[in-house]
């Protein structure tokens, strides 16, 4: 089954940086044909969108307010991968981060309607 796999999480101190990757496991799915969103979830809270990149034709980017100026979403079509570069990380960024395909990007960094299912995610922990 073709699915998206997240990687790149870890534990860093406040102010640090991480780059998350969202890659296709299997063949037959070209990510540039979809909007791709990054989401995060903290235990006990709803999953929230943080960034979205539109289809490869335009690759416009959209961010949730707290992610603006700190996070950058991008594509590498040759690698069929979407990245989320995060800088100036704060303890409140601690969460499991997921990526997922969608039809389009919506205001606030949300992708939707969503295709496929949630993957395992990658844990990001910001702590001193």
């Amino acid at each position: 089954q073709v699915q998206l796999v997240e990687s790149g999480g870890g534990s860093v101190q406040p102010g640090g940086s991480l780059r998350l990757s969202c890659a296709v496991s299997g063949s037959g799915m070209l990510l540039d044909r979809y909007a791709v969103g990054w989401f995060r979830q903290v235990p006990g809270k709803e999953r929230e969108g943080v960034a979205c990149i539109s289809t490869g034709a335009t690759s416009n980017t959209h961010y949730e307010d707290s992610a603006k100026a700190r996070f950058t979403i991008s594509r590498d079509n040759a690698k069929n991968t979407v990245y989320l570069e995060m800088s100036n990380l704060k303890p409140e960024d601690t969460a499991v981060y997921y990526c997922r395909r969608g039809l389009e990007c919506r205001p606030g960094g949300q992708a939707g309607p969503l295709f496929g299912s949630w993957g395992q995610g990658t844990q990001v922990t910001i702590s001193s």
Side-chain angles (χ1 to χ4, degrees):
Q1 182 179 358
V2 180
Q3 61 182 7
L4 300 184
V5 178
E6 306 90 347
S7 63
S11 182
V12 299
Q13 293 185 341
S17 301
L18 284 171
R19 187 177 79 161
L20 307 184
S21 298
C22 173
V24 177
S25 173
S27 62
M29 182 196 300
L30 296 178
L31 273 183
D32 68 347
R33 297 184 179 180
Y34 302 92
V36 177
W38 279 99
F39 301 78
R40 64 187 178 188
Q41 188 171 28
V42 175
K45 293 189 176 182
E46 289 190 0
R47 200 163 350 220
E48 64 173 356
V50 294
C52 182
I53 187 165
S54 61
T55 57
T58 59
S59 289
N60 292 325
T61 57
H62 307 260
Y63 299 94
E64 185 268 335
D65 285 346
S66 71
K68 290 177 182 177
R70 299 190 301 124
F71 293 4
T72 302
I73 188 171
S74 62
R75 295 181 180 273
D76 185 334
N77 292 333
K79 295 182 178 180
N80 207 20
T81 300
V82 170
Y83 300 100
L84 184 68
E85 299 200 49
M86 306 185 294
S87 62
N88 191 22
L89 284 161
K90 304 175 180 181
E92 51 265 41
D93 294 317
T94 296
V96 179
Y97 283 71
Y98 303 86
C99 62
R100 197 158 166 190
R101 297 173 293 144
L103 178 64
E104 60 186 5
C105 292
R106 296 169 170 171
Q110 297 273 358
L114 297 175
F115 303 126
S117 58
W118 296 110
Q120 295 291 323
T122 186
Q123 175 71 48
V124 171
T125 303
I126 313 303
S127 174
S128 55

Coordinates of all heavy atoms in Angstrom, one line a residue, residues 9-89:
G9 N 12.1 13.9 13.0 CA 11.8 14.4 14.3 C 13.0 14.2 15.3 O 13.9 13.5 15.0
G10 N 12.9 14.8 16.5 CA 13.9 14.6 17.5 C 13.7 15.5 18.6 O 12.6 16.1 18.8
S11 N 14.7 15.5 19.5 CA 14.6 16.4 20.7 C 15.7 17.5 20.6 O 16.9 17.2 20.4 CB 14.9 15.5 21.9 OG 14.8 16.3 23.1
V12 N 15.2 18.7 20.6 CA 16.2 19.8 20.6 C 15.8 20.8 21.6 O 14.7 20.8 22.2 CB 16.2 20.5 19.2 CG1 16.6 19.5 18.1 CG2 14.8 21.1 18.9
Q13 N 16.7 21.8 21.9 CA 16.5 22.8 22.9 C 15.7 23.9 22.2 O 15.7 24.1 21.0 CB 17.8 23.3 23.4 CG 18.6 22.3 24.2 CD 19.9 22.9 24.8 OE1 20.4 23.9 24.4 NE2 20.4 22.2 25.8
P14 N 15.1 24.7 23.1 CA 14.4 25.9 22.5 C 15.3 26.8 21.7 O 16.5 27.0 22.1 CB 13.9 26.6 23.8 CG 13.8 25.6 24.8 CD 14.9 24.6 24.5
G15 N 14.8 27.3 20.6 CA 15.6 28.1 19.7 C 16.3 27.2 18.6 O 16.9 27.8 17.7
G16 N 16.2 25.9 18.7 CA 16.9 25.0 17.8 C 16.0 24.8 16.5 O 15.0 25.5 16.3
S17 N 16.6 24.0 15.6 CA 15.9 23.8 14.3 C 15.8 22.3 14.0 O 16.6 21.5 14.5 CB 16.8 24.4 13.2 OG 16.9 25.8 13.4
L18 N 14.8 21.9 13.2 CA 14.7 20.6 12.7 C 14.1 20.6 11.3 O 13.4 21.6 11.0 CB 13.7 19.8 13.6 CG 14.2 19.2 14.9 CD1 13.0 18.7 15.7 CD2 15.3 18.2 14.7
R19 N 14.4 19.6 10.5 CA 13.8 19.5 9.2 C 13.1 18.2 9.1 O 13.7 17.1 9.2 CB 14.8 19.6 8.1 CG 14.2 19.6 6.7 CD 15.1 19.8 5.5 NE 15.8 18.5 5.2 CZ 16.4 18.3 4.0 NH1 16.4 19.3 3.1 NH2 17.0 17.2 3.8
L20 N 11.8 18.2 8.9 CA 11.0 17.0 8.8 C 10.8 16.7 7.3 O 10.8 17.6 6.5 CB 9.6 17.2 9.4 CG 9.6 17.7 10.9 CD1 8.2 17.8 11.4 CD2 10.5 16.8 11.8
S21 N 10.8 15.4 7.0 CA 10.6 14.9 5.7 C 9.3 14.1 5.6 O 8.9 13.4 6.5 CB 11.7 14.1 5.2 OG 12.9 14.8 5.2
C22 N 8.6 14.2 4.4 CA 7.4 13.5 4.1 C 7.7 12.8 2.8 O 7.6 13.5 1.7 CB 6.2 14.4 4.1 SG 4.7 13.7 3.5
A23 N 7.9 11.5 2.8 CA 8.2 10.8 1.6 C 7.2 9.7 1.3 O 6.5 9.3 2.2 CB 9.6 10.2 1.7
V24 N 7.2 9.3 0.0 CA 6.2 8.3 -0.4 C 6.9 6.9 -0.2 O 8.0 6.6 -0.7 CB 5.9 8.5 -1.9 CG1 4.9 7.4 -2.3 CG2 5.2 9.8 -2.1
S25 N 6.1 6.0 0.5 CA 6.6 4.6 0.6 C 5.8 3.8 -0.4 O 4.6 3.7 -0.4 CB 6.2 4.1 2.0 OG 6.4 2.7 2.1
G26 N 6.6 3.2 -1.4 CA 6.0 2.5 -2.5 C 6.1 3.3 -3.7 O 6.8 4.3 -3.8
S27 N 5.4 2.9 -4.8 CA 5.5 3.6 -6.0 C 4.1 3.9 -6.6 O 3.1 3.4 -6.1 CB 6.3 2.8 -7.0 OG 5.6 1.6 -7.3
G28 N 4.1 4.9 -7.5 CA 2.8 5.2 -8.2 C 2.1 6.4 -7.7 O 1.1 6.8 -8.1
M29 N 2.7 7.1 -6.7 CA 2.1 8.3 -6.2 C 3.1 9.5 -6.4 O 4.2 9.4 -5.9 CB 1.8 8.2 -4.7 CG 1.1 9.5 -4.1 SD 1.1 9.6 -2.3 CE 0.3 8.1 -1.9
L30 N 2.7 10.5 -7.1 CA 3.5 11.6 -7.3 C 2.9 12.8 -6.5 O 1.8 13.3 -6.7 CB 3.4 12.0 -8.8 CG 4.1 11.0 -9.8 CD1 3.9 11.5 -11.2 CD2 5.5 10.7 -9.4
L31 N 3.7 13.2 -5.5 CA 3.2 14.1 -4.5 C 2.9 15.5 -5.1 O 2.1 16.2 -4.6 CB 4.3 14.3 -3.4 CG 4.1 13.3 -2.2 CD1 5.2 13.7 -1.1 CD2 2.7 13.3 -1.7
D32 N 3.6 15.8 -6.2 CA 3.4 17.2 -6.8 C 2.0 17.3 -7.4 O 1.6 18.4 -7.8 CB 4.5 17.6 -7.8 CG 4.4 16.7 -9.0 OD1 3.8 15.7 -9.1 OD2 5.1 17.1 -10.0
R33 N 1.2 16.2 -7.5 CA -0.1 16.3 -8.0 C -1.1 16.6 -6.9 O -2.3 16.7 -7.1 CB -0.5 15.0 -8.7 CG 0.4 14.7 -9.9 CD 0.0 13.5 -10.6 NE 0.8 13.3 -11.8 CZ 0.7 12.2 -12.6 NH1 -0.3 11.3 -12.4 NH2 1.5 12.1 -13.7
Y34 N -0.6 16.7 -5.6 CA -1.5 17.0 -4.5 C -1.0 18.2 -3.7 O 0.2 18.5 -3.7 CB -1.5 15.7 -3.6 CG -1.9 14.5 -4.2 CD1 -1.0 13.6 -4.8 CD2 -3.3 14.1 -4.3 CE1 -1.4 12.4 -5.4 CE2 -3.7 12.9 -4.9 CZ -2.7 12.1 -5.4 OH -3.1 10.9 -6.0
A35 N -2.0 18.8 -3.0 CA -1.6 19.6 -1.9 C -1.1 18.7 -0.8 O -1.6 17.6 -0.6 CB -2.8 20.5 -1.4
V36 N -0.1 19.1 0.0 CA 0.4 18.4 1.1 C 0.4 19.2 2.3 O 1.0 20.4 2.3 CB 1.8 17.8 0.8 CG1 2.3 17.0 2.0 CG2 1.8 16.9 -0.4
G37 N -0.1 18.7 3.4 CA -0.2 19.5 4.6 C 0.6 18.8 5.7 O 0.7 17.6 5.8
W38 N 1.2 19.6 6.6 CA 1.8 19.1 7.8 C 0.9 19.4 9.0 O 0.4 20.6 9.0 CB 3.2 19.8 8.1 CG 4.3 19.1 7.3 CD1 4.8 19.6 6.1 CD2 5.0 18.0 7.6 NE1 5.8 18.7 5.7 CE2 6.0 17.7 6.6 CE3 5.0 17.0 8.7 CZ2 6.9 16.6 6.7 CZ3 5.8 16.0 8.7 CH2 6.8 15.8 7.7
F39 N 0.7 18.5 9.8 CA -0.2 18.6 11.0 C 0.6 18.2 12.2 O 1.6 17.5 12.1 CB -1.4 17.7 10.8 CG -2.2 17.9 9.6 CD1 -1.8 17.4 8.3 CD2 -3.4 18.6 9.7 CE1 -2.6 17.7 7.2 CE2 -4.2 18.8 8.5 CZ -3.8 18.3 7.3
R40 N 0.1 18.6 13.4 CA 0.7 18.1 14.6 C -0.4 17.9 15.6 O -1.5 18.4 15.6 CB 1.7 19.2 15.1 CG 1.1 20.5 15.5 CD 2.2 21.5 15.9 NE 1.7 22.8 16.2 CZ 2.5 23.8 16.4 NH1 3.8 23.7 16.3 NH2 2.0 25.0 16.8
Q41 N -0.1 17.0 16.6 CA -1.0 16.6 17.6 C -0.3 16.4 18.9 O 0.7 15.7 19.0 CB -1.8 15.4 17.2 CG -2.9 15.1 18.1 CD -3.8 13.9 17.6 OE1 -3.4 13.1 16.9 NE2 -5.1 14.0 18.0
V42 N -0.9 17.0 19.9 CA -0.4 16.8 21.3 C -1.4 15.9 22.0 O -2.6 16.1 21.8 CB -0.3 18.2 22.0 CG1 0.0 18.0 23.5 CG2 0.7 19.1 21.3
P43 N -1.0 15.0 22.8 CA -2.0 14.1 23.5 C -3.1 14.9 24.2 O -2.8 15.9 24.9 CB -1.1 13.4 24.6 CG 0.2 13.4 23.9 CD 0.4 14.7 23.2
G44 N -4.3 14.5 24.0 CA -5.4 15.1 24.6 C -6.0 16.3 23.8 O -7.0 16.9 24.2
K45 N -5.3 16.7 22.7 CA -5.8 17.8 21.9 C -6.1 17.3 20.5 O -5.6 16.3 20.0 CB -4.8 18.9 21.9 CG -4.6 19.6 23.2 CD -3.7 20.8 23.1 CE -3.6 21.6 24.4 NZ -2.8 22.8 24.3
E46 N -6.8 18.1 19.7 CA -7.1 17.8 18.3 C -5.9 18.0 17.5 O -5.1 18.9 17.8 CB -8.3 18.7 17.8 CG -9.6 18.3 18.4 CD -10.8 19.0 17.7 OE1 -10.5 19.7 16.8 OE2 -11.9 18.8 18.1
R47 N -5.8 17.3 16.4 CA -4.8 17.5 15.4 C -5.0 18.8 14.7 O -6.1 19.2 14.4 CB -4.8 16.4 14.4 CG -3.5 16.2 13.7 CD -3.3 14.8 13.0 NE -4.3 13.9 13.3 CZ -4.0 12.6 13.4 NH1 -2.8 12.1 13.4 NH2 -5.0 11.7 13.7
E48 N -3.9 19.6 14.5 CA -4.0 20.9 13.9 C -3.1 21.0 12.7 O -2.0 20.4 12.7 CB -3.8 22.0 14.9 CG -2.3 22.0 15.4 CD -2.0 23.3 16.3 OE1 -2.9 24.1 16.4 OE2 -0.9 23.3 16.8
G49 N -3.5 21.7 11.7 CA -2.7 22.0 10.6 C -1.7 23.1 10.9 O -2.0 24.1 11.5
V50 N -0.4 22.9 10.4 CA 0.5 24.0 10.6 C 1.1 24.6 9.3 O 1.4 25.8 9.3 CB 1.7 23.5 11.5 CG1 1.3 23.2 12.9 CG2 2.4 22.3 10.8
A51 N 1.1 23.8 8.3 CA 1.6 24.3 7.0 C 1.0 23.5 5.9 O 0.8 22.3 6.0 CB 3.1 24.3 7.0
C52 N 0.9 24.1 4.7 CA 0.4 23.4 3.5 C 1.1 24.0 2.3 O 1.3 25.2 2.2 CB -1.1 23.6 3.5 SG -1.9 22.7 2.1
I53 N 1.3 23.1 1.3 CA 1.9 23.5 0.1 C 0.9 23.0 -1.0 O 0.5 21.8 -1.0 CB 3.3 23.0 -0.1 CG1 3.9 23.6 -1.4 CG2 3.4 21.5 -0.1 CD1 5.5 23.5 -1.5
S54 N 0.6 23.9 -1.9 CA -0.4 23.5 -3.0 C 0.3 22.6 -4.0 O 1.4 22.4 -4.0 CB -1.0 24.8 -3.6 OG -0.1 25.6 -4.2
T55 N -0.5 22.2 -5.0 CA 0.0 21.3 -6.0 C 1.2 21.9 -6.7 O 1.4 23.1 -6.7 CB -1.1 21.0 -7.1 OG1 -1.5 22.2 -7.6 CG2 -2.3 20.3 -6.4
G56 N 1.9 21.0 -7.4 CA 3.2 21.3 -8.0 C 3.1 22.5 -9.0 O 4.1 23.2 -9.2
A57 N 2.0 22.7 -9.6 CA 1.9 23.7 -10.6 C 2.2 25.1 -10.0 O 2.8 25.9 -10.7 CB 0.5 23.7 -11.2
T58 N 1.8 25.3 -8.8 CA 2.0 26.6 -8.2 C 2.8 26.6 -6.9 O 3.6 27.5 -6.7 CB 0.6 27.3 -7.8 OG1 -0.1 26.4 -6.9 CG2 -0.2 27.5 -9.1
S59 N 2.7 25.5 -6.2 CA 3.4 25.3 -4.9 C 3.3 26.5 -4.0 O 4.3 26.9 -3.4 CB 4.8 25.0 -5.1 OG 4.9 23.6 -5.7
N60 N 2.1 27.1 -3.9 CA 1.9 28.2 -3.0 C 1.9 27.6 -1.5 O 1.5 26.5 -1.3 CB 0.5 28.9 -3.2 CG 0.5 29.7 -4.5 OD1 1.5 30.2 -4.9 ND2 -0.6 29.7 -5.2
T61 N 2.4 28.4 -0.6 CA 2.5 27.9 0.8 C 1.5 28.7 1.7 O 1.2 29.9 1.5 CB 3.9 28.0 1.3 OG1 4.3 29.4 1.2 CG2 4.8 27.2 0.5
H62 N 1.1 28.0 2.7 CA 0.1 28.6 3.7 C 0.5 28.1 5.1 O 1.0 26.9 5.2 CB -1.3 28.1 3.4 CG -1.7 28.3 1.9 ND1 -2.5 29.4 1.6 CD2 -1.4 27.6 0.8 CE1 -2.7 29.3 0.2 NE2 -2.0 28.3 -0.2
Y63 N 0.4 29.0 6.1 CA 0.9 28.6 7.4 C -0.1 29.0 8.5 O -0.9 30.0 8.3 CB 2.2 29.4 7.7 CG 3.3 29.0 6.8 CD1 3.6 29.7 5.7 CD2 4.1 27.9 7.0 CE1 4.6 29.4 4.8 CE2 5.1 27.5 6.2 CZ 5.4 28.3 5.0 OH 6.4 27.9 4.2
E64 N -0.2 28.2 9.5 CA -0.9 28.6 10.7 C -0.1 29.7 11.4 O 1.1 29.9 11.2 CB -1.0 27.4 11.6 CG -1.8 27.5 12.9 CD -1.0 27.9 14.0 OE1 0.3 27.7 14.0 OE2 -1.5 28.6 15.0
D65 N -0.8 30.6 12.1 CA -0.2 31.8 12.6 C 1.1 31.6 13.4 O 2.0 32.3 13.2 CB -1.2 32.6 13.4 CG -2.3 33.3 12.5 OD1 -2.1 33.4 11.3 OD2 -3.3 33.8 13.1
S66 N 1.1 30.6 14.3 CA 2.3 30.4 15.1 C 3.4 29.9 14.3 O 4.6 30.0 14.8 CB 1.9 29.5 16.2 OG 1.8 28.2 15.8
A67 N 3.2 29.4 13.1 CA 4.3 28.8 12.3 C 4.9 29.8 11.3 O 6.0 29.6 10.8 CB 3.7 27.6 11.5
K68 N 4.1 30.9 11.1 CA 4.6 31.9 10.1 C 6.0 32.5 10.6 O 6.1 32.7 11.8 CB 3.6 33.1 10.0 CG 2.3 32.6 9.3 CD 1.3 33.8 9.2 CE 0.1 33.4 8.5 NZ -1.0 34.5 8.5
A69 N 6.9 32.7 9.7 CA 8.2 33.2 9.9 C 9.1 32.3 10.7 O 10.3 32.6 10.8 CB 8.1 34.5 10.7
R70 N 8.6 31.1 11.1 CA 9.5 30.1 11.7 C 9.6 28.8 10.9 O 10.6 28.1 11.0 CB 9.0 29.9 13.2 CG 9.0 31.0 14.1 CD 8.8 30.6 15.5 NE 7.5 30.0 15.7 CZ 7.4 28.7 16.2 NH1 8.5 28.1 16.6 NH2 6.2 28.2 16.4
F71 N 8.5 28.5 10.3 CA 8.4 27.2 9.5 C 8.4 27.5 8.0 O 7.8 28.5 7.6 CB 7.2 26.4 9.9 CG 7.1 25.9 11.3 CD1 8.1 26.2 12.2 CD2 6.0 25.1 11.7 CE1 8.0 25.7 13.5 CE2 5.9 24.6 13.0 CZ 6.9 24.9 13.9
T72 N 9.0 26.6 7.3 CA 9.0 26.7 5.8 C 8.7 25.3 5.2 O 9.4 24.4 5.5 CB 10.4 27.2 5.3 OG1 10.7 28.5 5.8 CG2 10.3 27.3 3.7
I73 N 7.6 25.3 4.4 CA 7.3 24.0 3.8 C 7.7 24.1 2.3 O 7.7 25.2 1.7 CB 5.7 23.8 3.9 CG1 5.4 22.4 3.3 CG2 4.9 24.9 3.2 CD1 3.9 22.0 3.6
S74 N 8.3 23.0 1.8 CA 8.8 23.0 0.5 C 8.7 21.6 -0.2 O 8.4 20.7 0.5 CB 10.3 23.5 0.4 OG 11.1 22.6 1.2
R75 N 8.9 21.6 -1.5 CA 8.9 20.3 -2.2 C 10.2 20.1 -2.9 O 10.9 21.0 -3.3 CB 7.8 20.4 -3.3 CG 6.4 20.5 -3.0 CD 5.6 20.5 -4.3 NE 4.2 20.6 -4.0 CZ 3.4 19.6 -3.7 NH1 3.9 18.3 -3.7 NH2 2.1 19.7 -3.5
D76 N 10.6 18.8 -3.0 CA 11.6 18.4 -3.9 C 11.0 17.3 -4.8 O 10.9 16.2 -4.5 CB 12.8 17.8 -3.2 CG 14.0 17.5 -4.1 OD1 13.7 17.2 -5.3 OD2 15.1 17.5 -3.6
N77 N 10.5 17.8 -6.0 CA 9.8 16.8 -6.9 C 10.7 15.7 -7.4 O 10.2 14.6 -7.6 CB 9.2 17.6 -8.1 CG 8.1 18.5 -7.6 OD1 7.5 18.3 -6.6 ND2 7.9 19.6 -8.4
A78 N 12.0 15.9 -7.5 CA 12.9 14.9 -8.0 C 12.9 13.8 -6.9 O 13.1 12.6 -7.3 CB 14.3 15.4 -8.2
K79 N 12.8 14.1 -5.7 CA 12.8 13.1 -4.6 C 11.4 12.7 -4.1 O 11.3 11.9 -3.2 CB 13.6 13.7 -3.4 CG 15.1 13.9 -3.7 CD 15.9 14.4 -2.5 CE 17.3 14.5 -2.8 NZ 18.1 15.0 -1.6
N80 N 10.4 13.4 -4.8 CA 9.0 13.0 -4.4 C 8.8 13.2 -2.9 O 8.2 12.3 -2.2 CB 8.6 11.6 -4.8 CG 7.2 11.5 -5.1 OD1 6.4 12.5 -5.3 ND2 6.7 10.2 -5.1
T81 N 9.3 14.3 -2.4 CA 9.3 14.5 -0.9 C 8.9 16.0 -0.6 O 9.2 16.9 -1.4 CB 10.7 14.3 -0.3 OG1 11.1 12.9 -0.6 CG2 10.8 14.5 1.2
V82 N 8.2 16.1 0.5 CA 7.9 17.4 1.0 C 8.6 17.6 2.4 O 8.6 16.7 3.2 CB 6.3 17.6 1.2 CG1 6.0 18.9 1.9 CG2 5.7 17.6 -0.2
Y83 N 9.1 18.8 2.6 CA 9.8 19.1 3.8 C 9.1 20.1 4.6 O 8.4 21.0 4.1 CB 11.2 19.6 3.4 CG 12.1 18.6 2.6 CD1 12.2 18.8 1.3 CD2 12.7 17.6 3.2 CE1 12.9 17.9 0.5 CE2 13.5 16.7 2.5 CZ 13.6 16.8 1.1 OH 14.3 16.0 0.4
L84 N 9.4 20.1 5.9 CA 9.0 21.2 6.8 C 10.2 21.6 7.6 O 10.7 20.8 8.5 CB 7.9 20.7 7.8 CG 7.3 21.8 8.7 CD1 6.6 22.9 7.8 CD2 6.4 21.3 9.8
E85 N 10.8 22.7 7.3 CA 11.9 23.2 8.0 C 11.4 24.1 9.2 O 10.7 25.0 8.9 CB 12.9 24.0 7.1 CG 13.4 23.1 6.0 CD 14.7 23.7 5.4 OE1 15.6 24.0 6.1 OE2 14.7 23.7 4.1
M86 N 11.8 23.8 10.4 CA 11.3 24.5 11.5 C 12.5 25.1 12.3 O 13.5 24.5 12.5 CB 10.6 23.5 12.5 CG 9.5 22.7 11.8 SD 8.6 21.7 12.9 CE 9.8 20.6 13.4
S87 N 12.4 26.4 12.5 CA 13.5 27.1 13.3 C 12.9 27.9 14.4 O 11.7 28.0 14.6 CB 14.2 28.1 12.3 OG 13.3 29.0 11.8
N88 N 13.8 28.3 15.3 CA 13.4 29.0 16.5 C 12.3 28.3 17.2 O 11.2 28.8 17.6 CB 12.9 30.5 16.2 CG 12.7 31.3 17.4 OD1 13.3 31.1 18.5 ND2 11.9 32.4 17.2
L89 N 12.5 27.0 17.4 CA 11.5 26.1 18.0 C 11.2 26.5 19.5 O 12.1 26.9 20.2 CB 11.9 24.7 17.9 CG 11.8 24.1 16.4 CD1 12.6 22.9 16.2 CD2 10.3 23.8 16.1

